[in-house]
Amino acid sequence: LRLWRGTALADVDAPFAGEARQRLAEVFINCVLSGGTTNDLRHLVAEHPLREDVRAALMRALHREGRQSEALAVFAQGRELLADELGVDPSPGLAAAHLEILHAQAPHRGVPAQLTSFVGRDEDLRRVSKWLQENRLVTLIGPGGTGKTRLAVEVGHREPGEVAFVDLSATTDVARALLDGVGVREAGLLTAGAMNVEDRLRAALATRAILLIVDNCEHVIDDAARVLGAVLAACPDVRVLATSREPLGITGETLSPVSALDDEAAVRLFLDRAQAVKPGFTADRDVIADVCRRLDGVALAIELAAARVRSLPINDIAARLDDRFRLLSKGSRTAAPRHRTLHAVVEWSWDLLTDAERDVAARFTVFSGSASLDAATSVTESDVDTLSSLVDKSLVETTGDRYRMLDTIRAFCAAHAPDFGERHARWFLALAQEAEPHLRAYEQVEWLTTLALDHDNLVAAVTWATTHDVGLALELVAALATYYWCRGLRTEAARQADAVLHACSESPPAGREQEYALCLLIAWPVATGDQTRRIRQADTLLASLDGPPRYPIMTMMWGMALGAPENDSQVWHRRHRLLGADPWSKALALVGDGLVARMEGDPAASQDLLRRGAEAFTVVGDRWGAALAFNQLSEVLLAGGDVIGALHHVERACGLLEELGATEDSAEAVAGRAHARLAAGDLDGAKTDFDLALTLAGRAG
């Protein structure tokens, strides 16, 4: 492209020149498609406006630069041109580029990165990838430690299109884990009613072409089979790659056993992992092969044994295995040999630890999922050196700055663990309380990400406290209310709150009245039966407060749960009395009053209040509150005929919601922008936005 100038053979007039010129022009176009800049592609579209491959390339280039609106406009212009000039719709290739850009508006989890190379499963990889092209459900089955998860993740990395990874090991709510795994939030600028989570999941996946990697199904096998079966029946473009120790038992399931590695693959795996901990490691391949055979070719067992070469010669490793297996040969004859071997290797690794390392490994099992360095050292009362030593010895692994334990090792170590549930719960209560004010400020997105990484630990803390210490459980649910609201996990929060209310025997413990009232407000989406008593109870508790609540989100949730009061009612005055003097609460008061003014038919007052509320939330840094205000202000202005003002404010709402990754809220705001563009006479822009709103709403279920 740097060398190309003008038109090929421009000054040559000979019989061959026309055909050669056309061929070279095609070479030039292919070069631009492969490595041209956005400007190169724009010039090419101008020269070849009906070339759909060129138009699709420009759309993707604009999208990579974050210019989604321009990319969608290029599509709209092309669609109109094709209809006018040729009387045809966009080709599948151009339509696919359009859908890629629409789908990319929503968050995508993807599959976890791997820290080690993929060794020894090449044939399995080819087979599973092939079966996934021919079947919609493939289940990798085999005992713990054989490498099912590693194989599934590797398949996911090599799959084209959208892939989502969902680990069920730390949950009992399969549908909720899947919904979170595919990036769907519960939200809504004017909060919608409760919706069944499984219905929501199926609706969100109904039109998506996606591969779901669902890991560790065995401990929730019945629910996993039911939920995934319903998804596969209702969502024709969804494929599932599951891992489990037993089949799901769904019609159409293709089973792919993940068994022991053969000798060659086992030796390659041992050498790869041994050289990672001891660069330059070499040994007689026959000795390594013998060790691997006596480990039955189990991938986890081989990796654990390989980690020992840092401190033991290979012959000592072989000798220790002999001793261990003789001891275990007197165990249960009904247990699978591979299970006995794996247990033996983990126990052998355990025996090689120091007392301090054993203590930390046992205490680490209190974590659900992974843990940060600060959490790991604080909760287990350990130091960085001891934790690092466990990493070196393959008892704990790291991903980025997070620490986690493989399930097989966790199950063994948990048998030696003291009860650290309260210490774990109180540590995560402190984290939630530290985070809460930041979730209403400029650091909102950063802290949402921080808490999301520890979501499984937060759920585990609430679950432990609900059965052991209801006061602590109430504190946790209250401290997490803002997090759950901003992350769009309101049904999950409601279930936790409802369980805590039942654990309290439906009355607040002394000194926890405020937290109990907040639990009542959170629990509404899943509460069943007559809620009159709970409503009166919440009203009485809130009336007894003599000042703003500890968590300002309570005032907003009161309004969401009970609706707008009359201006002169006692409830109205009570709510205003409970609003704090902090900037966030003042912004909330302005927006709340603006919404009431709108409902009462006073657009001038509503505009003024919403505009001031939007500015106040912007100064505070709360994107969700500001987006709510800008969206409502846009609707008021549009109803009054101010189309330009409406467009300006709804654009700001869309930008803020995109920062938050709030798909459902974004759908609502984009639909509002479409109405404003329609009123402005921009039919193409309105059509593009309505298409996008439908896509986002569909993805949100």
Side-chain angles (χ1 to χ4, degrees):
L1 290 176
R2 284 195 302 269
L3 294 172
W4 194 277
R5 297 291 183 278
T7 304
L9 304 175
D11 56 349
V12 176
D13 183 14
F16 73 88
E19 183 179 343
R21 190 179 296 120
Q22 185 176 351
R23 179 176 57 79
L24 289 168
E26 198 64 32
V27 171
F28 172 71
I29 290 172
N30 287 331
C31 286
V32 175
L33 292 178
S34 299
T37 66
T38 304
N39 284 336
D40 292 334
L41 289 165
R42 280 196 187 280
H43 291 312
L44 211 53
V45 168
E47 291 177 25
H48 305 277
L50 296 176
R51 284 279 301 245
E52 294 182 78
D53 55 344
V54 175
R55 190 171 293 274
L58 174 58
M59 290 166 58
R60 290 188 171 103
L62 289 167
H63 171 57
R64 284 194 297 271
E65 294 175 5
R67 299 153 70 180
Q68 281 81 2
S69 297
E70 291 180 59
L72 294 171
V74 169
F75 174 78
Q77 292 159 4
R79 178 173 55 192
E80 184 177 354
L81 192 62
L82 288 166
D84 291 345
E85 297 287 331
L86 304 177
V88 298
D89 291 327
S91 68
L94 185 58
H98 181 231
L99 280 175
E100 282 177 30
I101 294 164
L102 292 177
H103 286 177
Q105 305 295 314
H108 171 60
R109 292 296 186 90
V111 289
Q114 297 300 302
L115 300 177
T116 55
S117 57
F118 184 73
V119 178
R121 294 282 183 194
D122 296 335
E123 183 55 41
D124 287 334
L125 185 61
R126 284 191 291 271
R127 183 181 67 251
V128 173
S129 297
K130 178 178 180 292
W131 283 353
L132 276 173
Q133 305 309 313
E134 303 167 352
N135 305 277
R136 294 183 54 222
L137 171 61
V138 176
T139 303
L140 307 180
I141 59 170
T146 52
K148 300 184 296 295
T149 299
R150 186 67 176 86
L151 175 59
V153 168
E154 191 67 25
V155 170
H157 276 298
R158 302 186 185 201
E159 274 289 308
E162 188 175 13
V163 182
F165 180 86
V166 184
D167 182 5
L168 299 183
S169 63
T171 187
T172 56
D173 190 339
V174 175
R176 166 57 54 203
L178 286 166
L179 203 62
D180 196 33
V182 298
V184 174
R185 307 159 39 100
E186 290 175 279
L189 293 170
L190 292 177
T191 184
M195 184 177 183
N196 178 279
V197 174
E198 293 182 29
D199 290 342
R200 182 77 179 275
L201 175 66
R202 291 190 292 272
L205 295 175
T207 59
R208 285 168 75 171
I210 184 172
L211 172 64
L212 296 179
I213 299 177
V214 188
D215 196 29
N216 293 303
C217 295
E218 55 273 348
H219 80 110
V220 284
I221 193 73
D222 292 335
D223 278 350
R226 179 179 55 78
V227 173
L228 290 173
V231 165
L232 289 166
C235 309
D237 294 322
V238 171
R239 294 173 297 148
V240 174
L241 176 59
T243 77
S244 179
R245 297 188 187 185
E246 60 180 298
L248 292 173
I250 301 174
T251 301
E253 179 180 27
T254 298
L255 297 179
S256 181
V258 180
S259 55
L261 294 168
D262 61 38
D263 285 356
E264 181 185 351
V267 170
R268 280 197 290 130
L269 178 63
F270 188 100
L271 282 170
D272 182 85
R273 301 305 191 252
Q275 288 167 356
V277 298
K278 187 177 182 180
F281 169 82
T282 58
D284 188 306
R285 291 182 71 90
D286 290 338
V287 175
I288 297 175
D290 181 56
V291 168
C292 293
R293 275 193 296 272
R294 286 149 75 189
L295 294 174
D296 287 345
V298 176
L300 175 60
I302 291 168
E303 293 195 13
L304 287 169
R308 299 279 74 79
V309 304
R310 187 174 181 181
S311 55
L312 289 173
I314 186 71
N315 291 327
D316 284 1
I317 290 174
R320 287 172 180 265
L321 287 176
D322 279 341
D323 292 340
R324 178 57 63 197
F325 293 158
R326 267 200 302 274
L327 177 64
L328 286 175
S329 66
K330 298 179 182 178
S332 171
R333 295 183 181 276
T334 61
R338 191 169 292 118
H339 285 184
R340 293 204 305 269
T341 301
L342 186 60
H343 182 274
V345 174
V346 177
E347 185 172 24
W348 166 57
S349 295
W350 172 268
D351 288 345
L352 291 176
L353 300 177
T354 65
D355 289 343
E357 289 168 345
R358 286 194 199 101
D359 287 343
V360 174
R363 294 171 184 178
F364 192 90
T365 62
V366 76
F367 292 106
S368 185
S370 64
S372 66
L373 177 62
D374 192 18
T377 53
S378 298
V379 173
T380 64
E381 299 178 309
S382 66
D383 54 61
V384 176
D385 289 342
T386 305
L387 190 62
S388 298
S389 180
L390 289 175
V391 173
D392 290 341
K393 295 177 179 179
S394 297
L395 270 294
V396 173
E397 62 180 20
T398 58
T399 303
D401 57 357
R402 307 283 297 180
Y403 294 77
R404 68 183 295 272
M405 215 175 229
L406 291 176
D407 289 340
T408 305
I409 295 174
R410 182 190 301 276
F412 180 92
C413 295
H416 304 269
D419 185 358
F420 263 48
E422 181 176 1
R423 187 175 181 85
H424 174 271
R426 291 199 178 279
W427 196 93
F428 282 100
L429 170 62
L431 177 66
Q433 290 173 334
E434 179 188 2
E436 198 278 336
H438 297 289
L439 297 176
R440 295 177 280 106
Y442 274 112
E443 315 87 60
Q444 186 177 57
V445 174
E446 176 188 340
W447 277 90
L448 280 173
T449 302
T450 296
L451 291 181
L453 288 171
D454 272 312
H455 182 80
D456 291 339
N457 282 308
L458 295 167
V459 172
V462 175
T463 302
W464 182 91
T466 301
T467 56
H468 292 83
D469 185 339
V470 292
L472 178 56
L474 284 166
E475 287 187 79
L476 275 161
V477 171
L480 289 169
T482 308
Y483 161 68
Y484 276 114
W485 185 272
C486 290
R487 264 206 76 198
L489 298 173
R490 297 173 200 172
T491 301
E492 182 172 352
R495 285 179 176 157
Q496 290 182 359
D498 198 51
V500 173
L501 292 173
H502 285 297
C504 293
S505 302
E506 304 292 338
S507 60
R512 295 285 188 275
E513 292 80 7
Q514 190 175 143
E515 289 81 1
Y516 188 90
L518 186 48
C519 261
L520 287 168
L521 296 174
I522 295 170
W524 249 291
V526 299
T528 57
D530 184 7
Q531 294 298 299
T532 305
R533 190 180 70 81
R534 278 190 174 181
I535 291 172
R536 282 202 307 268
Q537 192 178 19
D539 208 42
T540 301
L541 289 169
L542 291 164
S544 68
L545 294 178
D546 55 5
R550 179 176 182 183
Y551 299 108
I553 195 80
M554 179 188 284
T555 312
M556 187 190 76
M557 297 189 74
W558 189 7
M560 290 288 187
L562 300 181
E566 296 294 332
N567 242 347
D568 58 352
S569 70
Q570 289 184 343
V571 175
W572 176 262
H573 293 297
R574 194 187 310 151
R575 286 190 195 172
H576 269 260
R577 179 170 54 81
L578 293 181
L579 284 165
D582 61 288
W584 188 90
S585 296
K586 289 181 177 178
L588 177 64
L590 289 168
V591 174
D593 290 349
L595 292 173
V596 172
R598 182 185 178 189
M599 294 169 63
E600 293 178 342
D602 188 349
S606 179
Q607 285 181 38
D608 177 61
L609 289 163
L610 288 170
R611 183 176 284 108
R612 289 162 55 200
E615 291 171 357
F617 270 129
T618 301
V619 170
V620 169
D622 178 4
R623 296 155 184 81
W624 191 91
L628 167 65
F630 281 127
N631 197 61
Q632 293 298 313
L633 179 57
S634 173
E635 291 183 9
V636 173
L637 291 171
L638 186 60
D642 183 358
V643 177
I644 302 301
L647 270 172
H648 172 70
H649 291 300
V650 77
E651 283 281 9
R652 295 189 69 178
C654 289
L656 291 165
L657 293 169
E658 191 172 338
E659 282 187 60
L660 278 175
T663 309
E664 183 180 287
D665 290 339
S666 293
E668 191 169 341
V670 170
R673 187 172 66 192
H675 283 291
R677 286 181 168 170
L678 196 60
D682 178 8
L683 302 186
D684 288 340
K687 176 70 165 62
T688 298
D689 270 347
F690 279 129
D691 284 342
L692 176 57
L694 277 171
T695 300
L696 292 174
R699 289 175 67 85

